Amino acid sequence: GNSVTQMEGPVTLSEEAFLTINCTYTATGYPSLFWYVQYPGEGLQLLLKATKADDKGSNKGFEATYRKETTSFHLEKGSVQVSDSAVYFCALRTKSGGYNKLIFGAGTRLAVHP
Amino acid sequence: GAVVSQHPSWVICKSGTSVKIECRSLDFQATTMFWYRQFPKQSLMLMATSNEGSKATYEQGVEKDKFLINHASLTLSTLTVTSAHPEDSSFYICSARDSQGPYSNQPQHFGDGTRLSIL
């Protein structure tokens, strides 16, 4: 079936450190890939997306590249800030049962310290 | 930008009561809405998919008689937790897909969630 696997957290970094959160997927067909961010007590916000192989999504200094050969969509940021502390979810969307459904990974909590 | 309003944001009630949660798309039409449940420090679990004017499609293991979903208009879906018990306590999040544009590219927007506590 379709699934998303993320690296386990929490990830703890100092401000200005480099961030990588690994995400790999299993899917039939050609899914679209997403990263969502969830701040404490809130719903999810779309961070970035990529809809086909080799596409790079980017937003707010974060980026991720759709790698079909390795079925990966790793999230990176060159210099994190305290305000980036949140839970990050990797997700894929594919047609299943006639509907486009988002399937989420388990989430990775990021804590950035000054 | 597109906004999904979810209400209430927090509710506490006694065991045995029913609780209704509303999800509204404020500036776009949403033919399809989704309801998720999230346990502490866990991922979102899709409960059901609802299409305007038709019955919801429930995921395996989700009791349709327990979690009633109504999607009566293109901007409103409701989730009613019937005869709620402490094990139903959770964070419920709705999501609405913007009906405009190609089907495969329609963005999905999320509400801020409802924290439900059953005593």
Side-chain angles (χ1 to χ4, degrees):
Chain A
N2 302 314
S3 66
V4 176
T5 303
Q6 283 180 245
M7 64 186 285
E8 278 193 37
V11 173
T12 305
L13 294 173
S14 298
E15 208 164 22
E16 299 183 3
F18 184 87
L19 169 71
T20 299
I21 300 178
N22 289 341
C23 170
T24 57
Y25 67 90
T26 302
T28 53
Y30 301 94
S32 295
L33 302 175
F34 304 83
W35 276 100
Y36 283 86
V37 58
Q38 184 179 32
Y39 298 100
E42 298 183 11
L44 271 66
Q45 300 174 28
L46 177 64
L47 182 59
L48 54 84
K49 70 175 184 180
T51 57
K52 62 183 188 297
D54 300 325
D55 266 3
K56 178 185 283 189
S58 61
N59 185 27
K60 299 181 182 178
F62 292 90
E63 58 181 36
T65 302
Y66 189 145
R67 301 283 189 204
K68 191 165 168 53
E69 64 276 14
T70 54
T71 61
S72 66
F73 193 54
H74 304 321
L75 182 69
E76 296 181 337
K77 186 173 185 182
S79 176
V80 293
Q81 305 300 312
V82 173
S83 57
D84 294 326
S85 299
V87 180
Y88 292 82
F89 292 93
C90 184
L92 67 82
R93 188 163 77 182
T94 186
K95 220 163 192 178
S96 177
Y99 301 108
N100 278 331
K101 290 192 209 181
L102 272 174
I103 296 170
F104 289 92
T108 302
R109 185 174 300 276
L110 170 65
V112 180
H113 298 289
Chain B
V3 176
V4 172
S5 173
Q6 191 172 338
H7 179 80
S9 56
W10 188 35
V11 58
I12 301 174
C13 58
K14 292 182 179 179
S15 184
T17 57
S18 293
V19 179
K20 181 186 282 188
I21 302 170
E22 291 188 349
C23 179
R24 294 180 185 274
S25 57
L26 296 185
D27 55 1
F28 64 97
Q29 293 187 330
T31 306
T32 304
M33 290 187 173
F34 305 87
W35 287 95
Y36 296 85
R37 183 172 180 177
Q38 185 179 31
F39 292 101
K41 298 186 180 181
Q42 293 189 28
S43 188
L44 279 71
M45 180 192 77
L46 179 64
M47 299 174 65
T49 303
S50 71
N51 278 320
E52 183 263 338
S54 62
K55 288 185 179 180
T57 301
Y58 289 81
E59 296 299 303
Q60 194 171 9
V62 178
E63 299 177 58
K64 57 183 68 178
D65 294 331
K66 175 73 166 177
F67 300 99
L68 300 180
I69 291 171
N70 182 278
H71 191 163
S73 78
L74 288 172
T75 59
L76 174 64
S77 176
T78 60
L79 168 68
T80 301
V81 184
T82 62
S83 187
H85 292 284
E87 59 267 27
D88 299 323
S89 298
S90 194
F91 193 54
Y92 293 87
I93 301 175
C94 75
S95 178
R97 189 164 73 219
D98 191 331
S99 302
Q100 282 201 336
Y103 186 73
S104 60
N105 280 339
Q106 292 170 350
Q108 190 169 327
H109 306 288
F110 287 80
D112 280 341
T114 297
R115 187 162 303 283
L116 175 62
S117 297
I118 310 297
L119 304 177

